[in-house]
Amino acid sequence: MPLDITLFGVQMPTLLPIFFVTALFQILIDRVLADAGVYRHVWHPGLFRTAVFVCLFAIPCIAIYR
């Protein structure tokens, strides 16, 4: 897989679109978890949100750069 992609004539690293897709997916998951009341049982919600984002971002990154 190439390390750079061209989108509308702009060359960018492959991680940038993955980051934006992960951010949108994180917003969706965050709303679902908030509605389910998961954050009432989590010690530090901000840290938990960050950890979930890092895990979601790392999965496709590891798959691509493997």
Side-chain angles (χ1 to χ4, degrees), residues 17-30:
I18 292 172
F19 179 83
F20 288 126
V21 170
T22 303
L24 292 174
F25 193 59
Q26 168 65 23
I27 292 170
L28 249 165
I29 289 177
D30 187 51

Side-chain angles (χ1 to χ4, degrees), residues 5 11-12 22 26-28 35 42 45-46 50 52 57 61-63:
I5 60 172
Q11 191 172 12
M12 66 182 74
T22 303
Q26 168 65 23
I27 292 170
L28 249 165
D35 290 342
V42 174
T50 304
V52 169
F57 183 65
C61 291
I62 291 171

Side-chain angles (χ1 to χ4, degrees), residues 1-6 11-15 18 64-65:
M1 179 121 194
L3 299 178
D4 292 332
I5 60 172
T6 304
Q11 191 172 12
M12 66 182 74
T14 308
L15 295 179
I18 292 172
I64 287 175
Y65 288 105

